[in-house]
Amino acid sequence: MATASHAFPGQKSTRVRYELILGLVILIIVVATSVGSRGQFWTAPNLDSLMVDTAMTAIPAIGMTFVIIMGGIDVSVGAILGLSVTILGLSYNSLPSVLVATAAGLMAGLIMGVINGLTIAYLNIPPIITTLGFLSIWSAAIYLFLGGNWLTNIPSNYTQILVMNKVLGLPTAIWAALILIALFSWISARRPWGRYVYAIGNNRQAARVQGIPVRLTMILAYSLLGLLSACAGIVNLAISPLVQSTTGSGFELSVIAAVVVGGTDIVGGRGTVYGSFLGALLVEIIDDAVILLHIQAFWQGVATGLIILVAVVSGIIVRRKTDRATVRALASEG
Amino acid sequence: MRWKSVWHTHGWLITIFIVIIIVSTVVAPGSLSLQGISAMSVYAVEIGLIAFGEMWVILSGGGGIDLSVGSMYALSQVVLGVLVLHHMTLAVSVALALLAGLMMGMVNGLIVTVTGIPAIIVTLATMYAYSGLALVLTQGVDISPFPASFNFIGQSQIMGLPFQLIAIYVPIALLMALVLGRTSYGWNLQLVGSNPIAARFSGISVTRTRIIAYATAGLLSAIAGIIDASRLVTARPDAGGTANLTAITIAVLGGTQLQGGEGSILGTVVATFAITWLSYSFGLANINSIYEEGAVGFVLLLTLLFQHQNFRARLFNRQKIVP
């Protein structure tokens, strides 16, 4: 027990340090953007759209955090988002009830997540390959349903509720994201399932030997991600009430970038849900800055790639220090 | 006895190949003709070269995979286009484009081996960086005038077959098969892929072997990119969008084990033609390319299902192998 209490503060202090660096980077970009855009950054429309965009990335980033901590990955998030809003839109077309359509969309996302989870847990196919395969299958399914057409008959309630409605001056979407972040932070730190996820990510064999339901935990994590991707789809509909065959494509990379930038170890075992929120905020602020500072959009891909690399490398440096501190603490103990 | 072992290792590939040919012939009856095969081999060459590189990287083990092959394919042809646009001689431009591909692959390999970041993340990041650079270099516009002397690479024929098939693809395939089976580098690569610790104790540099594998993937993508630019007389910054998925599918379908250390050139060649056959007949039947992508994903998952030991054991009623 004493050993654990020594090892834990060591990890905690570097965690805080990493998140401090992240906060500092966000602050620098905010200051640079507000100077460079001559105050346009602080206008209400820009801040609102930044908040809603952050919510859209942060919500599936919660699920992605669990999946990556567990040692997995899911690159089909964008396609799940696209197919679930397609099903939402189609069901609204045939039965104009917002509740039924929402339920259909969320159910579609959940089912796709369950399929991902079942395939990965039972067939032992590497998650990246499985989800890459499903990415193309779901994309084909979107095209099968839409046939190149657009769905424009989207309930306006989403925009009304998530973007227009303000609670304490902030759009409801960001509050929803914050509540989910708080809930899943608690689950990851205090509930059995949350601890199972870390245990599996650290050592899957040991977790299985200890009697942790490895497969069930994995299936739940991927299902949660599927459901949250569908939720992000609804936020997407609130931002632009339109479904087309390219809806959601490439979105998985923003989500993975947010999680990795947020300090989650890409090989699993370590990470926090609130870190991913900060990561989502950083990724979205950079996107916003690219637009406000009139930088050519072509640079966005280069920037995204570099941010992921820098974040992963700095994460590795911080983690090496942590490990050394932990070893030292253990050595002085025994 | 020999056939039994061939069936054991390549049975599912043969099965899937036959199924694909049947499906393709049903979808587009014209694809099963000498003319059709000659026409589709043009496409097979480009994706086939990229798939060789992908196979090489997966073979090197340690979770090796390269998602940036499509971006290297695009960026190297853009480099070629930009140099030609700035009145560089053709030979020098082609050489520099090849060098660019080699360097990009080497950067991938260096980051993967030196930092220890999983290849999937490194190449995901460089995929963005390279295709972003391709867009930056061209301002998002295709570069199109190439000197007429450049056309022979992608448009001429030798004995009724495409030049790039006879003069580029077949020699490279033979060379790679020779390297893999008959040279020390090929053996090192297989050992590094299947057991890096044993390789290190045998005095083989795991780092160097893997960096060369990634650099090879970059070079092969660049060769494919140059052939593509010559065939379409255009350098496109957005070329190769889904080439990574297709290349991984081909490599896996061709019997390359994702854990590394096991794979064959012959299997990759057969898988290349199977996948190209599928997409060619889809194109011939005027089916949207997104369905082709979906079909490729489906084939990929099906192949992995077949490769899965327990599944095959159950299917062929053999002894169950528990990992």
Side-chain angles (χ1 to χ4, degrees), chain A residues 123 125 128-129 132 136 143-144 253 266-267 296 298-299 301 312 316, chain B residues 117-118 120-121 124 128 136 139 245 288 290-291 293 297 304-305 308:
Chain A
L123 296 181
I125 303 173
I128 175 79
I129 303 296
L132 211 55
S136 50
Y143 198 85
L144 191 71
L253 287 150
I266 195 71
V267 295
Q296 275 183 328
F298 306 129
W299 284 102
V312 173
I316 282 178
Chain B
I117 305 172
I120 180 100
I121 294 301
L124 186 75
Y128 271 88
V136 170
Q139 306 289 314
L245 176 62
N288 192 296
I290 192 113
Y291 291 128
E293 207 186 305
L304 284 161
L305 187 66
H308 191 242

PDB file of all heavy atoms in Angstrom, chain A residues 123 125 128-129 132 136 143-144 253 266-267 296 298-299 301 312 316, chain B residues 117-118 120-121 124 128 136 139 245 288 290-291 293 297 304-305 308:
ATOM      1  N   LEU A 123     -12.589 -12.228 -32.642  1.00  0.00           N
ATOM      2  CA  LEU A 123     -11.805 -12.743 -33.765  1.00  0.00           C
ATOM      3  C   LEU A 123     -10.337 -12.412 -33.659  1.00  0.00           C
ATOM      4  O   LEU A 123      -9.535 -12.873 -34.462  1.00  0.00           O
ATOM      5  CB  LEU A 123     -12.369 -12.214 -35.077  1.00  0.00           C
ATOM      6  CG  LEU A 123     -13.782 -12.683 -35.375  1.00  0.00           C
ATOM      7  CD1 LEU A 123     -14.255 -12.124 -36.693  1.00  0.00           C
ATOM      8  CD2 LEU A 123     -13.835 -14.203 -35.401  1.00  0.00           C
ATOM      9  N   ILE A 125      -8.737  -9.964 -34.498  1.00  0.00           N
ATOM     10  CA  ILE A 125      -8.181  -9.218 -35.619  1.00  0.00           C
ATOM     11  C   ILE A 125      -7.692  -7.881 -35.061  1.00  0.00           C
ATOM     12  O   ILE A 125      -8.386  -7.280 -34.241  1.00  0.00           O
ATOM     13  CB  ILE A 125      -9.243  -8.966 -36.713  1.00  0.00           C
ATOM     14  CG1 ILE A 125      -9.827 -10.294 -37.182  1.00  0.00           C
ATOM     15  CG2 ILE A 125      -8.657  -8.202 -37.873  1.00  0.00           C
ATOM     16  CD1 ILE A 125     -10.980 -10.132 -38.132  1.00  0.00           C
ATOM     17  N   ILE A 128      -7.099  -1.870 -35.652  1.00  0.00           N
ATOM     18  CA  ILE A 128      -6.925  -0.902 -36.741  1.00  0.00           C
ATOM     19  C   ILE A 128      -7.418  -1.480 -38.063  1.00  0.00           C
ATOM     20  O   ILE A 128      -8.096  -0.806 -38.838  1.00  0.00           O
ATOM     21  CB  ILE A 128      -5.440  -0.467 -36.851  1.00  0.00           C
ATOM     22  CG1 ILE A 128      -5.194   0.450 -38.046  1.00  0.00           C
ATOM     23  CG2 ILE A 128      -4.490  -1.647 -36.968  1.00  0.00           C
ATOM     24  CD1 ILE A 128      -5.593   1.837 -37.802  1.00  0.00           C
ATOM     25  N   ILE A 129      -7.145  -2.771 -38.286  1.00  0.00           N
ATOM     26  CA  ILE A 129      -7.540  -3.398 -39.550  1.00  0.00           C
ATOM     27  C   ILE A 129      -9.050  -3.614 -39.581  1.00  0.00           C
ATOM     28  O   ILE A 129      -9.717  -3.328 -40.576  1.00  0.00           O
ATOM     29  CB  ILE A 129      -6.813  -4.739 -39.730  1.00  0.00           C
ATOM     30  CG1 ILE A 129      -5.298  -4.528 -39.672  1.00  0.00           C
ATOM     31  CG2 ILE A 129      -7.194  -5.392 -41.026  1.00  0.00           C
ATOM     32  CD1 ILE A 129      -4.754  -3.679 -40.766  1.00  0.00           C
ATOM     33  N   LEU A 132     -10.693  -0.318 -40.061  1.00  0.00           N
ATOM     34  CA  LEU A 132     -10.422   0.162 -41.418  1.00  0.00           C
ATOM     35  C   LEU A 132     -11.370  -0.522 -42.407  1.00  0.00           C
ATOM     36  O   LEU A 132     -11.929   0.115 -43.298  1.00  0.00           O
ATOM     37  CB  LEU A 132      -8.968  -0.156 -41.773  1.00  0.00           C
ATOM     38  CG  LEU A 132      -8.199   0.759 -42.706  1.00  0.00           C
ATOM     39  CD1 LEU A 132      -8.220   2.182 -42.222  1.00  0.00           C
ATOM     40  CD2 LEU A 132      -6.770   0.285 -42.844  1.00  0.00           C
ATOM     41  N   SER A 136     -14.737   1.337 -44.629  1.00  0.00           N
ATOM     42  CA  SER A 136     -15.135   1.344 -46.038  1.00  0.00           C
ATOM     43  C   SER A 136     -16.514   0.723 -46.227  1.00  0.00           C
ATOM     44  O   SER A 136     -17.259   1.144 -47.101  1.00  0.00           O
ATOM     45  CB  SER A 136     -14.082   0.651 -46.890  1.00  0.00           C
ATOM     46  OG  SER A 136     -13.754  -0.581 -46.346  1.00  0.00           O
ATOM     47  N   TYR A 143     -23.535   5.512 -49.008  1.00  0.00           N
ATOM     48  CA  TYR A 143     -23.802   5.802 -50.419  1.00  0.00           C
ATOM     49  C   TYR A 143     -24.975   4.976 -50.928  1.00  0.00           C
ATOM     50  O   TYR A 143     -25.787   5.446 -51.729  1.00  0.00           O
ATOM     51  CB  TYR A 143     -22.548   5.535 -51.257  1.00  0.00           C
ATOM     52  CG  TYR A 143     -22.611   6.194 -52.591  1.00  0.00           C
ATOM     53  CD1 TYR A 143     -22.229   7.523 -52.737  1.00  0.00           C
ATOM     54  CD2 TYR A 143     -23.089   5.512 -53.695  1.00  0.00           C
ATOM     55  CE1 TYR A 143     -22.317   8.149 -53.951  1.00  0.00           C
ATOM     56  CE2 TYR A 143     -23.175   6.136 -54.927  1.00  0.00           C
ATOM     57  CZ  TYR A 143     -22.784   7.454 -55.052  1.00  0.00           C
ATOM     58  OH  TYR A 143     -22.881   8.069 -56.257  1.00  0.00           O
ATOM     59  N   LEU A 144     -25.062   3.739 -50.412  1.00  0.00           N
ATOM     60  CA  LEU A 144     -26.174   2.870 -50.806  1.00  0.00           C
ATOM     61  C   LEU A 144     -27.511   3.513 -50.447  1.00  0.00           C
ATOM     62  O   LEU A 144     -28.474   3.493 -51.202  1.00  0.00           O
ATOM     63  CB  LEU A 144     -26.024   1.525 -50.090  1.00  0.00           C
ATOM     64  CG  LEU A 144     -26.914   0.375 -50.518  1.00  0.00           C
ATOM     65  CD1 LEU A 144     -26.490  -0.105 -51.893  1.00  0.00           C
ATOM     66  CD2 LEU A 144     -26.807  -0.772 -49.522  1.00  0.00           C
ATOM     67  N   LEU A 253      -9.970  11.292 -37.509  1.00  0.00           N
ATOM     68  CA  LEU A 253      -8.622  11.783 -37.251  1.00  0.00           C
ATOM     69  C   LEU A 253      -8.622  12.929 -36.263  1.00  0.00           C
ATOM     70  O   LEU A 253      -7.730  13.007 -35.409  1.00  0.00           O
ATOM     71  CB  LEU A 253      -7.968  12.163 -38.555  1.00  0.00           C
ATOM     72  CG  LEU A 253      -7.681  10.819 -39.202  1.00  0.00           C
ATOM     73  CD1 LEU A 253      -7.711  10.880 -40.670  1.00  0.00           C
ATOM     74  CD2 LEU A 253      -6.402  10.256 -38.668  1.00  0.00           C
ATOM     75  N   ILE A 266      -0.748   6.138 -26.656  1.00  0.00           N
ATOM     76  CA  ILE A 266      -1.325   5.454 -27.811  1.00  0.00           C
ATOM     77  C   ILE A 266      -1.189   3.937 -27.708  1.00  0.00           C
ATOM     78  O   ILE A 266      -1.964   3.199 -28.315  1.00  0.00           O
ATOM     79  CB  ILE A 266      -0.711   5.993 -29.124  1.00  0.00           C
ATOM     80  CG1 ILE A 266      -1.538   5.563 -30.340  1.00  0.00           C
ATOM     81  CG2 ILE A 266       0.732   5.570 -29.290  1.00  0.00           C
ATOM     82  CD1 ILE A 266      -2.859   6.237 -30.446  1.00  0.00           C
ATOM     83  N   VAL A 267      -0.225   3.441 -26.912  1.00  0.00           N
ATOM     84  CA  VAL A 267      -0.128   1.991 -26.770  1.00  0.00           C
ATOM     85  C   VAL A 267      -0.975   1.470 -25.605  1.00  0.00           C
ATOM     86  O   VAL A 267      -0.989   0.279 -25.329  1.00  0.00           O
ATOM     87  CB  VAL A 267       1.329   1.512 -26.607  1.00  0.00           C
ATOM     88  CG1 VAL A 267       2.117   1.800 -27.854  1.00  0.00           C
ATOM     89  CG2 VAL A 267       1.992   2.148 -25.408  1.00  0.00           C
ATOM     90  N   GLN A 296      -3.649  29.512 -45.490  1.00  0.00           N
ATOM     91  CA  GLN A 296      -4.227  28.659 -46.527  1.00  0.00           C
ATOM     92  C   GLN A 296      -4.707  27.330 -45.936  1.00  0.00           C
ATOM     93  O   GLN A 296      -3.998  26.713 -45.147  1.00  0.00           O
ATOM     94  CB  GLN A 296      -3.178  28.359 -47.587  1.00  0.00           C
ATOM     95  CG  GLN A 296      -3.097  29.442 -48.638  1.00  0.00           C
ATOM     96  CD  GLN A 296      -2.100  29.076 -49.692  1.00  0.00           C
ATOM     97  OE1 GLN A 296      -1.114  28.420 -49.404  1.00  0.00           O
ATOM     98  NE2 GLN A 296      -2.361  29.484 -50.909  1.00  0.00           N
ATOM     99  N   PHE A 298      -4.767  24.540 -47.108  1.00  0.00           N
ATOM    100  CA  PHE A 298      -3.912  23.395 -47.432  1.00  0.00           C
ATOM    101  C   PHE A 298      -2.967  23.055 -46.286  1.00  0.00           C
ATOM    102  O   PHE A 298      -2.520  21.936 -46.150  1.00  0.00           O
ATOM    103  CB  PHE A 298      -3.081  23.682 -48.680  1.00  0.00           C
ATOM    104  CG  PHE A 298      -3.906  24.099 -49.852  1.00  0.00           C
ATOM    105  CD1 PHE A 298      -3.606  25.241 -50.574  1.00  0.00           C
ATOM    106  CD2 PHE A 298      -5.003  23.347 -50.245  1.00  0.00           C
ATOM    107  CE1 PHE A 298      -4.366  25.616 -51.647  1.00  0.00           C
ATOM    108  CE2 PHE A 298      -5.766  23.721 -51.325  1.00  0.00           C
ATOM    109  CZ  PHE A 298      -5.443  24.867 -52.031  1.00  0.00           C
ATOM    110  N   TRP A 299      -2.651  24.053 -45.472  1.00  0.00           N
ATOM    111  CA  TRP A 299      -1.712  23.811 -44.376  1.00  0.00           C
ATOM    112  C   TRP A 299      -2.335  23.013 -43.254  1.00  0.00           C
ATOM    113  O   TRP A 299      -1.652  22.544 -42.366  1.00  0.00           O
ATOM    114  CB  TRP A 299      -1.168  25.135 -43.828  1.00  0.00           C
ATOM    115  CG  TRP A 299      -0.143  25.736 -44.715  1.00  0.00           C
ATOM    116  CD1 TRP A 299      -0.318  26.768 -45.591  1.00  0.00           C
ATOM    117  CD2 TRP A 299       1.225  25.347 -44.853  1.00  0.00           C
ATOM    118  NE1 TRP A 299       0.854  27.028 -46.262  1.00  0.00           N
ATOM    119  CE2 TRP A 299       1.810  26.178 -45.826  1.00  0.00           C
ATOM    120  CE3 TRP A 299       2.008  24.362 -44.246  1.00  0.00           C
ATOM    121  CZ2 TRP A 299       3.147  26.052 -46.210  1.00  0.00           C
ATOM    122  CZ3 TRP A 299       3.337  24.243 -44.617  1.00  0.00           C
ATOM    123  CH2 TRP A 299       3.886  25.081 -45.595  1.00  0.00           C
ATOM    124  N   GLY A 301      -3.768  20.078 -43.107  1.00  0.00           N
ATOM    125  CA  GLY A 301      -3.329  18.684 -43.033  1.00  0.00           C
ATOM    126  C   GLY A 301      -1.938  18.584 -42.437  1.00  0.00           C
ATOM    127  O   GLY A 301      -1.674  17.751 -41.566  1.00  0.00           O
ATOM    128  N   VAL A 312       2.662  13.161 -29.413  1.00  0.00           N
ATOM    129  CA  VAL A 312       3.070  11.803 -29.043  1.00  0.00           C
ATOM    130  C   VAL A 312       4.499  11.798 -28.516  1.00  0.00           C
ATOM    131  O   VAL A 312       4.813  11.185 -27.503  1.00  0.00           O
ATOM    132  CB  VAL A 312       2.918  10.844 -30.249  1.00  0.00           C
ATOM    133  CG1 VAL A 312       3.492   9.493 -29.916  1.00  0.00           C
ATOM    134  CG2 VAL A 312       1.465  10.705 -30.622  1.00  0.00           C
ATOM    135  N   ILE A 316       5.817  10.898 -24.756  1.00  0.00           N
ATOM    136  CA  ILE A 316       6.802   9.856 -24.470  1.00  0.00           C
ATOM    137  C   ILE A 316       7.888  10.398 -23.547  1.00  0.00           C
ATOM    138  O   ILE A 316       8.296   9.743 -22.582  1.00  0.00           O
ATOM    139  CB  ILE A 316       7.413   9.332 -25.792  1.00  0.00           C
ATOM    140  CG1 ILE A 316       6.432   8.377 -26.448  1.00  0.00           C
ATOM    141  CG2 ILE A 316       8.742   8.627 -25.537  1.00  0.00           C
ATOM    142  CD1 ILE A 316       6.891   7.832 -27.751  1.00  0.00           C
TER     143      ILE A 316
ATOM    144  N   ILE B 117       7.409   5.030 -31.274  1.00  0.00           N
ATOM    145  CA  ILE B 117       5.974   5.291 -31.423  1.00  0.00           C
ATOM    146  C   ILE B 117       5.421   4.255 -32.395  1.00  0.00           C
ATOM    147  O   ILE B 117       6.058   3.953 -33.401  1.00  0.00           O
ATOM    148  CB  ILE B 117       5.716   6.705 -31.992  1.00  0.00           C
ATOM    149  CG1 ILE B 117       6.404   7.761 -31.135  1.00  0.00           C
ATOM    150  CG2 ILE B 117       4.232   6.997 -32.090  1.00  0.00           C
ATOM    151  CD1 ILE B 117       6.356   9.133 -31.752  1.00  0.00           C
ATOM    152  N   PRO B 118       4.233   3.686 -32.106  1.00  0.00           N
ATOM    153  CA  PRO B 118       3.678   2.685 -33.027  1.00  0.00           C
ATOM    154  C   PRO B 118       3.579   3.215 -34.458  1.00  0.00           C
ATOM    155  O   PRO B 118       3.210   4.367 -34.686  1.00  0.00           O
ATOM    156  CB  PRO B 118       2.290   2.434 -32.456  1.00  0.00           C
ATOM    157  CG  PRO B 118       2.380   2.811 -31.031  1.00  0.00           C
ATOM    158  CD  PRO B 118       3.401   3.887 -30.940  1.00  0.00           C
ATOM    159  N   ILE B 120       1.580   2.724 -36.750  1.00  0.00           N
ATOM    160  CA  ILE B 120       0.262   3.148 -37.202  1.00  0.00           C
ATOM    161  C   ILE B 120       0.039   4.640 -36.954  1.00  0.00           C
ATOM    162  O   ILE B 120      -0.523   5.348 -37.780  1.00  0.00           O
ATOM    163  CB  ILE B 120      -0.809   2.281 -36.501  1.00  0.00           C
ATOM    164  CG1 ILE B 120      -2.188   2.678 -36.935  1.00  0.00           C
ATOM    165  CG2 ILE B 120      -0.739   2.366 -35.010  1.00  0.00           C
ATOM    166  CD1 ILE B 120      -2.682   1.749 -37.943  1.00  0.00           C
ATOM    167  N   ILE B 121       0.543   5.135 -35.806  1.00  0.00           N
ATOM    168  CA  ILE B 121       0.358   6.546 -35.477  1.00  0.00           C
ATOM    169  C   ILE B 121       1.335   7.415 -36.260  1.00  0.00           C
ATOM    170  O   ILE B 121       0.963   8.456 -36.812  1.00  0.00           O
ATOM    171  CB  ILE B 121       0.555   6.761 -33.960  1.00  0.00           C
ATOM    172  CG1 ILE B 121      -0.537   6.056 -33.186  1.00  0.00           C
ATOM    173  CG2 ILE B 121       0.566   8.233 -33.615  1.00  0.00           C
ATOM    174  CD1 ILE B 121      -1.918   6.515 -33.538  1.00  0.00           C
ATOM    175  N   LEU B 124       0.161   7.564 -39.727  1.00  0.00           N
ATOM    176  CA  LEU B 124      -1.079   8.353 -39.797  1.00  0.00           C
ATOM    177  C   LEU B 124      -0.729   9.833 -39.837  1.00  0.00           C
ATOM    178  O   LEU B 124      -1.264  10.599 -40.649  1.00  0.00           O
ATOM    179  CB  LEU B 124      -1.942   8.061 -38.566  1.00  0.00           C
ATOM    180  CG  LEU B 124      -3.323   8.677 -38.546  1.00  0.00           C
ATOM    181  CD1 LEU B 124      -4.234   7.924 -39.480  1.00  0.00           C
ATOM    182  CD2 LEU B 124      -3.900   8.648 -37.152  1.00  0.00           C
ATOM    183  N   TYR B 128      -0.950  12.598 -43.144  1.00  0.00           N
ATOM    184  CA  TYR B 128      -1.491  13.958 -43.178  1.00  0.00           C
ATOM    185  C   TYR B 128      -0.467  14.951 -43.656  1.00  0.00           C
ATOM    186  O   TYR B 128      -0.754  15.820 -44.482  1.00  0.00           O
ATOM    187  CB  TYR B 128      -1.981  14.351 -41.787  1.00  0.00           C
ATOM    188  CG  TYR B 128      -3.370  13.940 -41.682  1.00  0.00           C
ATOM    189  CD1 TYR B 128      -3.685  12.670 -41.252  1.00  0.00           C
ATOM    190  CD2 TYR B 128      -4.375  14.745 -42.166  1.00  0.00           C
ATOM    191  CE1 TYR B 128      -4.956  12.236 -41.257  1.00  0.00           C
ATOM    192  CE2 TYR B 128      -5.659  14.314 -42.175  1.00  0.00           C
ATOM    193  CZ  TYR B 128      -5.946  13.052 -41.721  1.00  0.00           C
ATOM    194  OH  TYR B 128      -7.216  12.624 -41.741  1.00  0.00           O
ATOM    195  N   VAL B 136      -0.011  21.876 -50.539  1.00  0.00           N
ATOM    196  CA  VAL B 136       0.661  23.169 -50.410  1.00  0.00           C
ATOM    197  C   VAL B 136       1.505  23.453 -51.656  1.00  0.00           C
ATOM    198  O   VAL B 136       1.470  24.552 -52.212  1.00  0.00           O
ATOM    199  CB  VAL B 136       1.543  23.194 -49.140  1.00  0.00           C
ATOM    200  CG1 VAL B 136       2.436  24.421 -49.128  1.00  0.00           C
ATOM    201  CG2 VAL B 136       0.675  23.162 -47.901  1.00  0.00           C
ATOM    202  N   GLN B 139      -0.870  24.189 -54.564  1.00  0.00           N
ATOM    203  CA  GLN B 139      -2.021  25.057 -54.269  1.00  0.00           C
ATOM    204  C   GLN B 139      -3.336  24.353 -54.576  1.00  0.00           C
ATOM    205  O   GLN B 139      -4.325  24.981 -54.924  1.00  0.00           O
ATOM    206  CB  GLN B 139      -1.949  26.352 -55.095  1.00  0.00           C
ATOM    207  CG  GLN B 139      -0.647  27.108 -54.942  1.00  0.00           C
ATOM    208  CD  GLN B 139      -0.505  27.749 -53.580  1.00  0.00           C
ATOM    209  OE1 GLN B 139      -1.425  28.367 -53.089  1.00  0.00           O
ATOM    210  NE2 GLN B 139       0.630  27.541 -52.936  1.00  0.00           N
ATOM    211  N   LEU B 245      -5.571   1.628 -47.690  1.00  0.00           N
ATOM    212  CA  LEU B 245      -6.494   0.535 -47.353  1.00  0.00           C
ATOM    213  C   LEU B 245      -6.370  -0.598 -48.368  1.00  0.00           C
ATOM    214  O   LEU B 245      -6.290  -1.775 -48.010  1.00  0.00           O
ATOM    215  CB  LEU B 245      -7.930   1.072 -47.306  1.00  0.00           C
ATOM    216  CG  LEU B 245      -9.011   0.034 -47.055  1.00  0.00           C
ATOM    217  CD1 LEU B 245      -8.827  -0.620 -45.714  1.00  0.00           C
ATOM    218  CD2 LEU B 245     -10.384   0.674 -47.139  1.00  0.00           C
ATOM    219  N   ASN B 288     -20.500   2.826 -58.770  1.00  0.00           N
ATOM    220  CA  ASN B 288     -19.758   3.884 -58.067  1.00  0.00           C
ATOM    221  C   ASN B 288     -18.567   3.301 -57.297  1.00  0.00           C
ATOM    222  O   ASN B 288     -18.659   2.247 -56.682  1.00  0.00           O
ATOM    223  CB  ASN B 288     -20.700   4.598 -57.102  1.00  0.00           C
ATOM    224  CG  ASN B 288     -20.078   5.872 -56.578  1.00  0.00           C
ATOM    225  OD1 ASN B 288     -19.069   5.849 -55.887  1.00  0.00           O
ATOM    226  ND2 ASN B 288     -20.679   6.996 -56.914  1.00  0.00           N
ATOM    227  N   ILE B 290     -17.309   3.960 -54.605  1.00  0.00           N
ATOM    228  CA  ILE B 290     -17.439   3.785 -53.156  1.00  0.00           C
ATOM    229  C   ILE B 290     -17.861   2.350 -52.824  1.00  0.00           C
ATOM    230  O   ILE B 290     -17.482   1.793 -51.805  1.00  0.00           O
ATOM    231  CB  ILE B 290     -18.417   4.817 -52.557  1.00  0.00           C
ATOM    232  CG1 ILE B 290     -18.348   4.848 -51.026  1.00  0.00           C
ATOM    233  CG2 ILE B 290     -19.830   4.554 -52.983  1.00  0.00           C
ATOM    234  CD1 ILE B 290     -17.817   6.108 -50.480  1.00  0.00           C
ATOM    235  N   TYR B 291     -18.609   1.705 -53.745  1.00  0.00           N
ATOM    236  CA  TYR B 291     -19.003   0.307 -53.523  1.00  0.00           C
ATOM    237  C   TYR B 291     -17.806  -0.613 -53.649  1.00  0.00           C
ATOM    238  O   TYR B 291     -17.692  -1.613 -52.955  1.00  0.00           O
ATOM    239  CB  TYR B 291     -20.073  -0.116 -54.532  1.00  0.00           C
ATOM    240  CG  TYR B 291     -21.385   0.561 -54.302  1.00  0.00           C
ATOM    241  CD1 TYR B 291     -22.044   1.220 -55.321  1.00  0.00           C
ATOM    242  CD2 TYR B 291     -21.969   0.560 -53.032  1.00  0.00           C
ATOM    243  CE1 TYR B 291     -23.238   1.860 -55.107  1.00  0.00           C
ATOM    244  CE2 TYR B 291     -23.156   1.199 -52.804  1.00  0.00           C
ATOM    245  CZ  TYR B 291     -23.788   1.848 -53.844  1.00  0.00           C
ATOM    246  OH  TYR B 291     -24.967   2.484 -53.615  1.00  0.00           O
ATOM    247  N   GLU B 293     -14.837   0.270 -52.844  1.00  0.00           N
ATOM    248  CA  GLU B 293     -14.146   0.441 -51.580  1.00  0.00           C
ATOM    249  C   GLU B 293     -14.796  -0.427 -50.496  1.00  0.00           C
ATOM    250  O   GLU B 293     -14.111  -1.095 -49.720  1.00  0.00           O
ATOM    251  CB  GLU B 293     -14.234   1.916 -51.192  1.00  0.00           C
ATOM    252  CG  GLU B 293     -13.118   2.405 -50.320  1.00  0.00           C
ATOM    253  CD  GLU B 293     -13.406   3.829 -49.881  1.00  0.00           C
ATOM    254  OE1 GLU B 293     -13.621   4.698 -50.763  1.00  0.00           O
ATOM    255  OE2 GLU B 293     -13.459   4.054 -48.674  1.00  0.00           O
ATOM    256  N   GLY B 297     -13.165  -3.561 -48.379  1.00  0.00           N
ATOM    257  CA  GLY B 297     -13.213  -3.691 -46.920  1.00  0.00           C
ATOM    258  C   GLY B 297     -13.791  -5.034 -46.505  1.00  0.00           C
ATOM    259  O   GLY B 297     -13.308  -5.681 -45.579  1.00  0.00           O
ATOM    260  N   LEU B 304      -9.225 -11.895 -43.130  1.00  0.00           N
ATOM    261  CA  LEU B 304      -8.696 -11.991 -41.775  1.00  0.00           C
ATOM    262  C   LEU B 304      -9.431 -13.059 -40.989  1.00  0.00           C
ATOM    263  O   LEU B 304      -8.854 -13.776 -40.186  1.00  0.00           O
ATOM    264  CB  LEU B 304      -8.807 -10.631 -41.079  1.00  0.00           C
ATOM    265  CG  LEU B 304      -7.745  -9.657 -41.563  1.00  0.00           C
ATOM    266  CD1 LEU B 304      -8.128  -8.237 -41.239  1.00  0.00           C
ATOM    267  CD2 LEU B 304      -6.409  -9.995 -40.925  1.00  0.00           C
ATOM    268  N   LEU B 305     -10.728 -13.181 -41.261  1.00  0.00           N
ATOM    269  CA  LEU B 305     -11.523 -14.210 -40.608  1.00  0.00           C
ATOM    270  C   LEU B 305     -10.980 -15.589 -40.971  1.00  0.00           C
ATOM    271  O   LEU B 305     -10.807 -16.460 -40.131  1.00  0.00           O
ATOM    272  CB  LEU B 305     -12.981 -14.062 -41.058  1.00  0.00           C
ATOM    273  CG  LEU B 305     -14.010 -14.928 -40.374  1.00  0.00           C
ATOM    274  CD1 LEU B 305     -14.125 -14.547 -38.914  1.00  0.00           C
ATOM    275  CD2 LEU B 305     -15.357 -14.767 -41.051  1.00  0.00           C
ATOM    276  N   HIS B 308      -7.682 -16.400 -39.373  1.00  0.00           N
ATOM    277  CA  HIS B 308      -7.724 -16.623 -37.943  1.00  0.00           C
ATOM    278  C   HIS B 308      -7.646 -18.112 -37.654  1.00  0.00           C
ATOM    279  O   HIS B 308      -8.458 -18.892 -38.136  1.00  0.00           O
ATOM    280  CB  HIS B 308      -9.011 -16.034 -37.369  1.00  0.00           C
ATOM    281  CG  HIS B 308      -9.005 -15.992 -35.886  1.00  0.00           C
ATOM    282  ND1 HIS B 308      -9.905 -16.666 -35.126  1.00  0.00           N
ATOM    283  CD2 HIS B 308      -8.177 -15.360 -35.044  1.00  0.00           C
ATOM    284  CE1 HIS B 308      -9.633 -16.457 -33.854  1.00  0.00           C
ATOM    285  NE2 HIS B 308      -8.602 -15.667 -33.773  1.00  0.00           N
TER     286      HIS B 308
END
